[in-house]
Amino acid sequence: MPLLGGIRPPIALLCVLVLALAGLTAKVLGPAGEQLVPEAVLSSQQHFAEDGAIALRASIDERVTDLDRTAAALNEGSPVEPERVLSDLGKTYQKWTGTTVLDVESGKVLAARGETIPLGWLDKKVLTGDKALLPRMVRLKTGDVRLMTMAVLDWKDRPQQLLIASNSLSVPNVTLGQFRSMAVVATGGEILATAGFEQSEALNSDQERKELTFVQKQMSKLSAQAAKETEQDPVSAREPGSRGYPGVSGTLLGESYNGRTATAGYASLASSDPEEKKSVGAGLGLTVVALLPVLQQHAAGPGRELYGLLAAGALVLLGLIAVAVLWATVQRPLLRLFLESRRLARGDLTRPVAVPRWGEAARVGSALERLRAQLGGAGDEPADRRNRRTRFGVRGPLAVTAILLLLWCVPVGFLLNRTDDSVSIPSAMVDDQRDRTDLVADRVRRALNEAQADMVSMSRLIDADDTGATRKVLEAALREHSRYQALYLLSEDGDVVARAGEEPSADWSGEEDLPLVRVAGKGGKKPVIQVGASVPDKKGETVVGEVRVEFLNSLLNRPGLGEVRVVDPKAETLAASDGFLAFEGLPRDALTDLVKAGGAQSGTGPAENGLLIREGRGVTVAAAAPFSGGGVASDLGWTVVSWQNAKEFQIAPYEREDRSILAGMLGLALIVVCLGWVFLVVARPLRALAASAEKLADGDLKTVHYPRYQDEVGAVVRSLELLRQQLQARKQNQARRLAEPQPVVRGR
């Protein structure tokens, strides 16, 4: 009889799985695996660095695109004096720290604005070769690093000129919490720019200054490690098939000081995404590092370890009882039937069959005893024993076993380790929600400012009298920027003079008191966000661009931040990370109050623009960041608000609850697999066997019995077939003897 079939394998598997689940329970429900710094805090630092890297890369690419587009538009028009070029460039964009125009042949500076740009780095390699006109990083005498962006101005009958614009390699200018810092790191670990340290310069106490010194040292050390980590290829740095940030990102743990551990997240600007291969920022080899010292998490006490051991011990005890029930009520009677049937099939009819007490095994045993009696010529059994039936049979022990295991699965999985609204959320998580929301708000504000600056740039380059040339400028801008769904030039009467992209979705009013960034489309399917700029020297003519709502939605969709929305001063939704109805309100009154309070809320959670919303058994971490920082978008009164369920955080209470649920679900899976196996392989075939044995004992000798499985039940079926053949042969012999003539006995 094969060892892989029958009743033994599922019972053995049940023993193994119970022991394995008990060991897993003792490990995961105790303090094992709990870190001094919650995994949620580490993941948040990684996401923070990714947000900074995305913003920095977009900023670099945007500056290069703006300068190239401005130079291309100037080259197509009439020659412009260098001073006029820099003047118009400065009025349109306020993103460069310094601009210069120089003669390519002589190297003479023709015009300069803003910060003085050193020219010692210029050589023939900058203007020729495969890497011609690519941005260069240059260190000033002050020690600061500047990114130099270049474009060639080329007019007929004039020598070529080189337009150079410099800007700092700074991370987004957002408000960072105390001791939170960010850095831009070059290949090799050199720190090019930092943010956050200047906000801690005003610390007064010696202890706070020592902590600042500790943070600065850790930033230098961890930045070198991060630069080394980001030298990997973005594809090989991740597990096969995994998604997420397209570049290289991760977390680092530093040293501890005064109960705080330095945690850092890093993210490279380089990406494996084919759509970003043209990114200039991705080719600079830069890395963004975000560092935050966090309070160490208290390790679980002995009670947690004892809890895990008690839960594991209870599972082992109930599992042993369940196995004993299956062994005594299913396995042992079935093996006894197998031995008895084989004995009868061999012709050993001397001893009565040992009939089990109940269930299908009792029915089969009774049928075997009747067959033994028939083969031995002892007649049939009494009717009361022959017709004995059991209602539940093997299903009864299976139900008892399931109940025993459920006595452990249900309490562990669904009753113990349950969390409520009293769970303590680490303050670092609230700070991260606030700071990341502020970073997203800064990115959206910059995107709208850039869009309006694009309109100003185009308004200075187009010729309103030449419709064909104007259309070409608009189409070129639409190809270069994915943020627009339509660009068009309006006349003083509001008629479309030239257009690129879709049809205008809303009218643009020429009133002077209206903002340059507007929202229309109320009552429609989605908001219409318009940016515009008046054409110089053309009264009433305006260049208008419609920003795609999908573009804003993509800026809000960041992992680990929950649901993010952009709302107007009335708290009506204009864009969202996860779908929305146009101009719908926020789902909770607490979020609306947070927005209307200008991002400041107290009483229900931490101050400033982060709070905890406790409702029922759940906790929600929320934050709001109004637009601020300059530009036309800062006057809109818009706010970025984000919120997420605290259960999504990888902190100890929620992890224990998840582990308990996992243990309970694994226990349920154990019940389904093992007991389902017994039911399908043993219980159902045994019921069919009992019915077949009783029919055979009642005299059905025509039905042939075929074993379906090579196990105990199959062995009993084979024995029944042999007994059927023996009975059939016996019956034929008796009929033959009755048919033969009897000899006549003569008397003397």
Side-chain angles (χ1 to χ4, degrees):
M1 184 174 54
L3 296 177
L4 296 180
I7 187 61
R8 291 188 180 94
I11 295 180
L13 180 64
L14 178 62
C15 295
V16 172
L17 292 181
V18 165
L19 293 177
L21 183 57
L24 181 65
T25 301
K27 181 179 180 180
V28 302
L29 294 188
E34 293 187 5
Q35 305 175 357
L36 294 179
V37 178
E39 186 66 28
V41 176
L42 294 176
S43 300
S44 183
Q45 305 317 307
Q46 179 178 351
H47 294 323
F48 203 98
E50 292 171 355
D51 293 346
I54 291 173
L56 179 59
R57 184 174 61 210
S59 176
I60 294 174
D61 293 343
E62 188 70 36
R63 291 169 184 176
V64 173
T65 301
D66 291 339
L67 197 67
D68 289 344
R69 179 165 46 83
T70 300
L74 288 171
N75 292 335
E76 292 181 1
S78 303
V80 181
E81 293 298 323
E83 286 289 347
R84 175 68 183 275
V85 172
L86 299 186
S87 176
D88 290 345
L89 195 63
K91 293 178 181 178
T92 304
Y93 301 103
Q94 293 80 34
K95 60 178 66 175
W96 288 294
T97 58
T99 53
T100 298
V101 177
L102 56 86
D103 185 86
V104 173
E105 294 182 1
S106 63
K108 180 181 178 181
V109 176
L110 303 178
R113 290 289 181 94
E115 184 180 63
T116 302
I117 296 178
L119 302 177
W121 53 276
L122 280 172
D123 53 25
K124 292 183 179 179
K125 295 181 180 179
V126 176
L127 303 177
T128 60
D130 297 336
K131 298 182 179 180
L133 300 180
L134 287 180
R136 300 291 197 278
M137 288 182 291
V138 178
R139 187 175 292 277
L140 305 180
K141 294 181 180 180
T142 59
D144 297 332
V145 177
R146 294 290 183 265
L147 181 67
M148 302 297 174
T149 308
M150 295 160 286
V152 175
L153 301 178
D154 191 5
W155 291 291
K156 292 182 179 180
D157 302 329
R158 276 200 180 189
Q160 285 186 336
Q161 299 174 359
L162 185 64
L163 174 61
I164 305 176
S166 70
N167 56 274
S168 60
L169 275 173
S170 60
V171 294
N173 186 20
V174 297
T175 303
L176 302 176
Q178 189 178 26
F179 298 124
R180 178 189 289 281
S181 56
M182 298 185 72
V184 180
V185 184
T187 304
E190 181 186 7
I191 297 178
L192 304 179
T194 60
F197 291 120
E198 63 278 359
Q199 300 179 22
S200 302
E201 295 290 339
L203 300 178
N204 298 321
S205 67
D206 293 338
Q207 183 62 37
E208 290 179 338
R209 284 194 290 269
K210 290 180 180 179
E211 291 185 5
L212 176 60
T213 303
F214 163 74
V215 172
Q216 292 172 335
K217 291 181 179 179
Q218 290 300 301
M219 174 61 81
S220 177
K221 178 180 178 181
L222 296 178
S223 294
Q225 297 181 22
K228 186 176 181 180
E229 292 290 338
T230 53
E231 291 178 358
Q232 307 175 68
D233 183 79
V235 176
S236 60
R238 297 191 301 274
E239 296 181 359
S242 63
R243 297 185 178 181
Y245 184 69
V248 181
S249 64
T251 59
L252 296 171
L253 270 179
E255 300 175 0
S256 300
Y257 176 78
N258 196 25
R260 293 179 178 269
T261 301
T263 62
Y266 62 88
S268 68
L269 271 64
S271 169
S272 60
D273 191 346
E275 296 181 357
E276 297 183 358
K277 287 184 178 179
K278 297 181 180 179
S279 171
V280 176
L284 297 177
L286 301 178
T287 301
V288 173
V289 180
L291 186 144
L292 177 68
V294 299
L295 289 173
Q296 297 177 355
Q297 177 176 289
H298 296 291
R304 294 301 318 168
E305 184 176 2
L306 181 61
Y307 172 81
L309 293 176
L310 288 176
L315 176 59
V316 172
L317 178 61
L318 292 175
L320 290 177
I321 296 175
V323 169
V325 169
L326 291 178
W327 179 83
T329 59
V330 181
Q331 177 176 329
R332 188 178 179 185
L334 184 57
L335 293 177
R336 184 180 299 175
L337 286 178
F338 162 69
L339 296 175
E340 292 290 343
S341 64
R342 189 170 61 175
R343 177 175 65 84
L344 295 181
R346 289 200 306 262
D348 184 1
L349 307 176
T350 57
R351 289 183 293 107
V353 175
V355 180
R357 295 183 178 181
W358 64 279
E360 290 87 350
R363 295 170 57 189
V364 175
S366 299
L368 289 177
E369 176 61 23
R370 293 166 58 194
L371 293 174
R372 185 192 71 84
Q374 294 175 18
L375 289 172
D380 214 348
E381 276 190 75
D384 57 344
R385 187 172 182 180
R386 182 192 318 148
N387 298 325
R388 182 172 57 182
R389 296 288 187 274
T390 303
R391 182 175 182 181
F392 297 103
V394 179
R395 292 177 294 181
L398 293 181
V400 172
T401 304
I403 292 174
L404 287 173
L405 296 177
L406 286 174
L407 290 177
W408 184 88
C409 297
V410 173
V412 170
F414 304 102
L415 298 179
L416 302 179
N417 281 333
R418 307 303 293 175
T419 57
D420 53 23
D421 60 354
S422 63
V423 175
S424 177
I425 306 299
S427 59
M429 299 306 302
V430 182
D431 295 339
D432 289 345
Q433 188 80 14
R434 176 195 63 210
D435 294 341
R436 291 190 66 198
T437 304
D438 193 17
L439 196 151
V440 172
D442 181 79
R443 190 179 175 200
V444 176
R445 179 188 60 82
R446 287 174 181 267
L448 294 176
N449 286 341
E450 289 286 346
Q452 202 278 328
D454 289 343
M455 300 302 106
V456 175
S457 176
M458 283 186 287
S459 69
R460 297 178 184 275
L461 300 175
I462 64 176
D463 184 359
D465 297 329
D466 189 345
T467 305
T470 300
R471 185 180 299 107
K472 290 182 179 180
V473 173
L474 297 178
E475 291 175 349
L478 191 64
R479 287 193 303 268
E480 293 172 356
H481 297 287
S482 60
R483 65 167 61 104
Y484 304 112
Q485 66 183 11
L487 294 171
Y488 42 90
L489 174 65
L490 298 178
S491 65
E492 184 178 3
D493 299 331
D495 298 329
V496 177
V497 177
R499 175 179 61 85
E502 301 177 5
E503 290 285 344
S505 302
D507 296 332
W508 176 274
S509 176
E511 298 181 15
E512 296 182 356
D513 57 341
L514 293 178
L516 298 176
V517 181
R518 308 174 187 177
V519 180
K522 197 161 189 178
K525 294 183 178 180
K526 61 181 182 180
V528 179
I529 300 174
Q530 298 173 305
V531 292
S534 300
V535 178
D537 303 328
K538 295 292 183 178
K539 182 179 180 181
E541 294 190 354
T542 308
V543 179
V544 181
E546 293 184 0
V547 180
R548 294 189 305 112
V549 176
E550 294 79 8
F551 168 75
L552 296 182
N553 294 344
S554 66
L555 300 181
L556 305 178
N557 190 10
R558 296 299 306 137
L561 198 55
E563 187 169 352
V564 188
R565 293 191 183 186
V566 176
V567 297
D568 60 13
K570 297 180 180 179
E572 296 175 339
T573 304
L574 304 177
S577 61
D578 192 20
F580 69 103
L581 297 176
F583 301 100
E584 69 173 337
L586 293 172
R588 299 185 180 181
D589 294 337
L591 298 174
T592 304
D593 295 339
L594 181 65
V595 172
K596 292 183 177 180
Q601 184 77 11
S602 60
T604 59
E608 301 179 6
N609 59 346
L611 79 155
L612 299 177
I613 303 174
R614 301 183 183 271
E615 296 178 352
R617 297 176 57 89
V619 182
T620 301
V621 180
F627 281 8
S628 61
V632 295
S634 61
D635 299 329
L636 297 175
W638 292 5
T639 302
V640 174
V641 58
S642 67
W643 68 93
Q644 61 178 324
N645 194 330
K647 284 193 174 183
E648 299 177 6
F649 297 154
Q650 293 175 293
I651 58 179
Y654 294 122
E655 285 185 337
R656 283 195 292 266
E657 181 180 18
D658 293 340
R659 292 169 184 171
S660 296
I661 295 175
L662 176 61
M665 297 301 293
L666 290 177
L668 293 177
L670 180 152
I671 295 173
V672 172
V673 171
C674 295
L675 300 188
W677 188 354
V678 174
F679 177 77
L680 294 176
V681 175
V682 177
R684 292 180 61 182
L686 189 58
R687 291 176 66 85
L689 172 62
S692 300
E694 289 176 342
K695 289 182 179 180
L696 179 59
D698 290 337
D700 183 7
L701 302 179
K702 295 182 179 181
T703 304
V704 180
H705 301 278
Y706 295 100
R708 296 184 178 181
Y709 305 100
Q710 298 296 323
D711 56 9
E712 296 90 347
V713 177
V716 176
V717 173
R718 287 194 298 271
S719 298
L720 283 180
E721 175 60 20
L722 294 176
L723 293 175
R724 184 191 70 83
Q725 295 175 7
Q726 293 176 15
L727 286 173
Q728 198 172 42
R730 177 186 175 87
K731 184 177 180 180
Q732 291 175 356
N733 291 335
Q734 288 178 351
R736 188 181 302 111
R737 283 197 297 268
L738 291 176
E740 291 178 356
Q742 298 294 327
V744 178
V745 180
R746 299 177 180 273
R748 292 182 179 180

CSV table of all heavy atoms in Angstrom, one decimal, residues 460-487:
chain,number,residue,atom,x,y,z
A,460,ARG,N,5.9,86.8,-25.8
A,460,ARG,CA,7.0,87.7,-26.3
A,460,ARG,C,7.6,87.2,-27.6
A,460,ARG,O,8.4,87.9,-28.2
A,460,ARG,CB,8.1,87.7,-25.2
A,460,ARG,CG,7.6,88.3,-23.9
A,460,ARG,CD,8.7,88.4,-22.9
A,460,ARG,NE,8.3,88.8,-21.6
A,460,ARG,CZ,8.2,90.1,-21.2
A,460,ARG,NH1,8.6,91.1,-22.1
A,460,ARG,NH2,7.7,90.5,-20.1
A,461,LEU,N,7.3,85.9,-27.9
A,461,LEU,CA,8.0,85.3,-29.1
A,461,LEU,C,7.1,85.2,-30.3
A,461,LEU,O,7.6,85.2,-31.5
A,461,LEU,CB,8.5,83.9,-28.8
A,461,LEU,CG,9.6,83.9,-27.7
A,461,LEU,CD1,9.9,82.4,-27.4
A,461,LEU,CD2,10.8,84.6,-28.0
A,462,ILE,N,5.8,85.3,-30.1
A,462,ILE,CA,4.9,85.1,-31.2
A,462,ILE,C,4.6,86.4,-32.0
A,462,ILE,O,4.8,87.5,-31.4
A,462,ILE,CB,3.5,84.5,-30.8
A,462,ILE,CG1,2.8,85.5,-29.8
A,462,ILE,CG2,3.7,83.1,-30.1
A,462,ILE,CD1,1.4,85.0,-29.4
A,463,ASP,N,4.3,86.3,-33.2
A,463,ASP,CA,3.9,87.4,-34.0
A,463,ASP,C,2.4,87.3,-34.3
A,463,ASP,O,2.0,86.4,-35.1
A,463,ASP,CB,4.7,87.4,-35.3
A,463,ASP,CG,4.4,88.7,-36.1
A,463,ASP,OD1,3.6,89.5,-35.7
A,463,ASP,OD2,5.0,88.8,-37.2
A,464,ALA,N,1.6,88.1,-33.6
A,464,ALA,CA,0.2,88.0,-33.7
A,464,ALA,C,-0.4,88.2,-35.1
A,464,ALA,O,-1.4,87.7,-35.5
A,464,ALA,CB,-0.5,89.0,-32.7
A,465,ASP,N,0.4,88.9,-35.9
A,465,ASP,CA,0.0,89.2,-37.3
A,465,ASP,C,0.3,88.0,-38.2
A,465,ASP,O,-0.3,88.0,-39.3
A,465,ASP,CB,0.7,90.5,-37.8
A,465,ASP,CG,0.3,91.7,-37.0
A,465,ASP,OD1,-0.8,91.7,-36.5
A,465,ASP,OD2,1.1,92.6,-36.9
A,466,ASP,N,1.1,87.1,-37.8
A,466,ASP,CA,1.5,85.9,-38.6
A,466,ASP,C,0.9,84.7,-38.0
A,466,ASP,O,1.4,84.1,-37.0
A,466,ASP,CB,3.0,85.8,-38.7
A,466,ASP,CG,3.4,84.7,-39.7
A,466,ASP,OD1,2.5,83.9,-40.1
A,466,ASP,OD2,4.6,84.7,-40.1
A,467,THR,N,-0.3,84.3,-38.4
A,467,THR,CA,-1.0,83.2,-37.8
A,467,THR,C,-0.3,81.9,-38.0
A,467,THR,O,-0.2,81.1,-37.0
A,467,THR,CB,-2.4,83.1,-38.4
A,467,THR,OG1,-3.1,84.3,-38.3
A,467,THR,CG2,-3.2,82.0,-37.7
A,468,GLY,N,0.3,81.7,-39.1
A,468,GLY,CA,1.1,80.4,-39.3
A,468,GLY,C,2.3,80.3,-38.4
A,468,GLY,O,2.5,79.2,-37.8
A,469,ALA,N,3.0,81.4,-38.2
A,469,ALA,CA,4.2,81.3,-37.3
A,469,ALA,C,3.7,81.1,-35.9
A,469,ALA,O,4.3,80.4,-35.1
A,469,ALA,CB,5.0,82.6,-37.4
A,470,THR,N,2.6,81.8,-35.5
A,470,THR,CA,2.1,81.7,-34.1
A,470,THR,C,1.7,80.2,-33.9
A,470,THR,O,1.9,79.7,-32.8
A,470,THR,CB,0.9,82.6,-33.9
A,470,THR,OG1,1.3,83.9,-34.1
A,470,THR,CG2,0.3,82.4,-32.6
A,471,ARG,N,1.0,79.6,-34.9
A,471,ARG,CA,0.6,78.2,-34.7
A,471,ARG,C,1.8,77.3,-34.5
A,471,ARG,O,1.8,76.4,-33.7
A,471,ARG,CB,-0.2,77.8,-35.9
A,471,ARG,CG,-0.8,76.4,-35.7
A,471,ARG,CD,-1.6,75.9,-36.9
A,471,ARG,NE,-2.8,76.8,-37.1
A,471,ARG,CZ,-2.9,77.7,-38.1
A,471,ARG,NH1,-1.9,77.8,-39.0
A,471,ARG,NH2,-3.9,78.4,-38.2
A,472,LYS,N,2.9,77.6,-35.2
A,472,LYS,CA,4.1,76.7,-35.1
A,472,LYS,C,4.7,76.9,-33.7
A,472,LYS,O,5.1,75.9,-33.1
A,472,LYS,CB,5.1,77.1,-36.1
A,472,LYS,CG,4.8,76.7,-37.5
A,472,LYS,CD,5.9,77.1,-38.5
A,472,LYS,CE,5.5,76.7,-39.9
A,472,LYS,NZ,6.6,77.1,-40.9
A,473,VAL,N,4.7,78.1,-33.1
A,473,VAL,CA,5.2,78.3,-31.8
A,473,VAL,C,4.3,77.5,-30.8
A,473,VAL,O,4.8,76.8,-29.8
A,473,VAL,CB,5.3,79.8,-31.4
A,473,VAL,CG1,5.6,80.0,-30.0
A,473,VAL,CG2,6.3,80.5,-32.3
A,474,LEU,N,3.0,77.6,-30.9
A,474,LEU,CA,2.1,76.9,-30.0
A,474,LEU,C,2.3,75.4,-30.1
A,474,LEU,O,2.3,74.7,-29.1
A,474,LEU,CB,0.7,77.3,-30.3
A,474,LEU,CG,0.3,78.8,-30.1
A,474,LEU,CD1,-1.1,79.0,-30.4
A,474,LEU,CD2,0.6,79.2,-28.6
A,475,GLU,N,2.4,74.9,-31.3
A,475,GLU,CA,2.5,73.4,-31.5
A,475,GLU,C,3.9,72.9,-30.9
A,475,GLU,O,3.9,71.8,-30.4
A,475,GLU,CB,2.4,73.1,-33.0
A,475,GLU,CG,1.0,73.3,-33.6
A,475,GLU,CD,1.0,73.0,-35.1
A,475,GLU,OE1,2.1,72.9,-35.7
A,475,GLU,OE2,-0.1,73.0,-35.6
A,476,ALA,N,4.9,73.7,-31.1
A,476,ALA,CA,6.2,73.3,-30.5
A,476,ALA,C,6.1,73.3,-29.0
A,476,ALA,O,6.7,72.3,-28.4
A,476,ALA,CB,7.3,74.3,-31.0
A,477,ALA,N,5.5,74.2,-28.4
A,477,ALA,CA,5.4,74.2,-27.0
A,477,ALA,C,4.5,73.1,-26.5
A,477,ALA,O,4.8,72.5,-25.4
A,477,ALA,CB,4.8,75.6,-26.5
A,478,LEU,N,3.5,72.7,-27.2
A,478,LEU,CA,2.6,71.6,-26.9
A,478,LEU,C,3.4,70.3,-26.9
A,478,LEU,O,3.1,69.4,-26.1
A,478,LEU,CB,1.4,71.6,-27.8
A,478,LEU,CG,0.2,70.6,-27.4
A,478,LEU,CD1,-0.4,71.1,-26.0
A,478,LEU,CD2,-0.8,70.6,-28.4
A,479,ARG,N,4.3,70.2,-27.9
A,479,ARG,CA,5.1,68.9,-28.0
A,479,ARG,C,6.1,68.8,-26.9
A,479,ARG,O,6.4,67.7,-26.4
A,479,ARG,CB,5.8,68.9,-29.4
A,479,ARG,CG,4.9,68.6,-30.5
A,479,ARG,CD,5.8,68.3,-31.8
A,479,ARG,NE,6.7,69.4,-32.1
A,479,ARG,CZ,6.4,70.3,-32.9
A,479,ARG,NH1,5.3,70.4,-33.5
A,479,ARG,NH2,7.3,71.3,-33.2
A,480,GLU,N,6.6,69.9,-26.4
A,480,GLU,CA,7.7,69.9,-25.4
A,480,GLU,C,7.1,69.7,-24.0
A,480,GLU,O,7.8,69.2,-23.2
A,480,GLU,CB,8.5,71.2,-25.5
A,480,GLU,CG,9.3,71.4,-26.8
A,480,GLU,CD,9.9,72.7,-26.9
A,480,GLU,OE1,9.6,73.6,-26.0
A,480,GLU,OE2,10.7,73.0,-27.8
A,481,HIS,N,5.9,70.1,-23.8
A,481,HIS,CA,5.3,70.0,-22.5
A,481,HIS,C,4.1,69.2,-22.5
A,481,HIS,O,3.2,69.4,-23.3
A,481,HIS,CB,5.0,71.4,-21.9
A,481,HIS,CG,6.2,72.3,-21.8
A,481,HIS,ND1,7.1,72.2,-20.8
A,481,HIS,CD2,6.6,73.4,-22.5
A,481,HIS,CE1,8.0,73.1,-20.9
A,481,HIS,NE2,7.8,73.8,-22.0
A,482,SER,N,4.0,68.2,-21.6
A,482,SER,CA,2.9,67.3,-21.5
A,482,SER,C,1.8,67.9,-20.6
A,482,SER,O,0.8,67.2,-20.4
A,482,SER,CB,3.3,65.9,-20.9
A,482,SER,OG,3.9,66.1,-19.6
A,483,ARG,N,2.0,69.0,-20.0
A,483,ARG,CA,1.1,69.6,-19.0
A,483,ARG,C,-0.1,70.2,-19.7
A,483,ARG,O,-1.1,70.5,-19.0
A,483,ARG,CB,1.8,70.6,-18.1
A,483,ARG,CG,2.2,71.8,-18.8
A,483,ARG,CD,2.6,72.9,-17.8
A,483,ARG,NE,3.6,72.5,-16.9
A,483,ARG,CZ,4.9,72.9,-17.0
A,483,ARG,NH1,5.3,73.7,-17.9
A,483,ARG,NH2,5.8,72.5,-16.1
A,484,TYR,N,-0.1,70.5,-21.0
A,484,TYR,CA,-1.1,71.3,-21.6
A,484,TYR,C,-2.0,70.3,-22.5
A,484,TYR,O,-1.5,69.4,-23.1
A,484,TYR,CB,-0.6,72.4,-22.5
A,484,TYR,CG,0.3,73.3,-21.8
A,484,TYR,CD1,1.7,73.3,-22.1
A,484,TYR,CD2,-0.1,74.2,-20.9
A,484,TYR,CE1,2.5,74.2,-21.5
A,484,TYR,CE2,0.7,75.1,-20.2
A,484,TYR,CZ,2.1,75.1,-20.5
A,484,TYR,OH,2.9,75.9,-19.9
A,485,GLN,N,-3.3,70.6,-22.5
A,485,GLN,CA,-4.2,70.0,-23.4
A,485,GLN,C,-4.6,70.9,-24.6
A,485,GLN,O,-5.1,70.4,-25.6
A,485,GLN,CB,-5.5,69.5,-22.7
A,485,GLN,CG,-6.4,70.6,-22.1
A,485,GLN,CD,-7.5,70.1,-21.4
A,485,GLN,OE1,-7.6,68.9,-21.1
A,485,GLN,NE2,-8.5,71.0,-21.1
A,486,ALA,N,-4.4,72.2,-24.4
A,486,ALA,CA,-4.7,73.1,-25.5
A,486,ALA,C,-3.9,74.4,-25.2
A,486,ALA,O,-3.8,74.8,-24.1
A,486,ALA,CB,-6.2,73.4,-25.5
A,487,LEU,N,-3.4,75.0,-26.3
A,487,LEU,CA,-2.8,76.3,-26.3
A,487,LEU,C,-3.4,77.1,-27.5
A,487,LEU,O,-3.6,76.6,-28.6
A,487,LEU,CB,-1.3,76.2,-26.6
A,487,LEU,CG,-0.5,75.5,-25.5
A,487,LEU,CD1,1.0,75.2,-26.0
A,487,LEU,CD2,-0.4,76.3,-24.2
